[in-house]
Amino acid sequence: MSASANPKTGLRPFLSEDASVVAAIFRAAIEELTEDDYNPAQQEAWASLADDEQEFGEKLGKELTLIATFDGAPVGFASLENNSIIDMLYVHPAAAGRGVAATLYDALEKLATARGATELKVHASDTAREFFVRRGFVPQQRSTLSVGNEWLGSTTMKKALAAKGAAS
């Protein structure tokens, strides 16, 4: 079986042994995809959140976390906290622009709706803000997060979800 030029995105649950690969995806996404919105010191502080891969993996293991794959290889991940907060959504730069983030987001929204959530909330980075606007999120408040000695700008956004069983 040959590799596809446009592989289909697969989804699977996060496993504890995925910690190092998702930490690498997290770091690569921040280092290569956020440079228009954050300076190098901010990027380094942000990426350092995955320096302790065991702790990073434990955090993701406590949330509903999905791994996106191309031909079985992880290329992105997303996590849902308390069934209503999109905590993380990161795609490896090599897979950016190929629908991975949309696939992950759509799956989280369906799972949250099926579990009775009436809204989703996200603290979107400046880089991800437009992605969430295109999916119906409404900006609520501009905020900053202190990471190390750096401040990272973000926007708190919300989206109302259709009630479970409602026609879509």
Side-chain angles (χ1 to χ4, degrees):
M1 188 168 167
S2 64
S4 171
N6 290 306
K8 180 170 171 37
T9 304
L11 292 176
R12 65 169 176 78
F14 170 81
L15 304 171
S16 59
E17 56 265 28
D18 292 322
S20 64
V21 73
V22 296
I25 291 168
F26 178 80
R27 284 188 205 97
I30 292 165
E31 291 166 3
E32 296 182 41
L33 301 175
T34 68
E35 59 194 8
D36 289 344
D37 300 301
Y38 299 94
N39 69 44
Q42 290 172 314
Q43 290 175 299
E44 178 54 37
W46 186 0
S48 76
L49 295 174
D51 284 352
D52 184 333
E53 292 178 359
Q54 182 177 344
E55 184 179 292
F56 191 73
E58 287 171 1
K59 175 182 174 29
L60 292 173
K62 292 175 185 170
E63 299 178 355
L64 184 134
T65 303
L66 298 176
I67 303 289
T69 62
F70 283 169
D71 297 326
V75 294
F77 70 98
S79 64
L80 187 66
E81 179 183 349
N82 297 326
N83 202 46
S84 63
I85 300 168
I86 297 174
D87 184 36
M88 294 191 197
L89 197 163
Y90 292 87
V91 174
H92 192 280
R98 298 172 71 182
V100 176
T103 299
L104 284 163
Y105 170 77
D106 290 346
L108 287 184
E109 181 179 310
K110 285 176 185 163
L111 287 166
T113 301
R115 293 173 175 203
T118 57
E119 73 176 15
L120 283 177
K121 184 176 177 181
V122 66
H123 301 289
S125 69
D126 293 349
T127 305
R129 188 176 189 271
E130 286 307 309
F131 172 86
F132 288 105
V133 166
R134 288 191 305 270
R135 276 147 191 84
F137 281 76
V138 177
Q140 302 291 307
Q141 177 181 335
R142 184 81 180 143
S143 56
T144 54
L145 170 69
S146 174
V147 180
N149 293 326
E150 296 296 323
W151 290 94
L152 305 177
S154 67
T155 303
T156 300
M157 305 175 82
K158 289 184 181 179
K159 177 181 180 178
L161 299 176
K164 184 178 176 182
S168 47

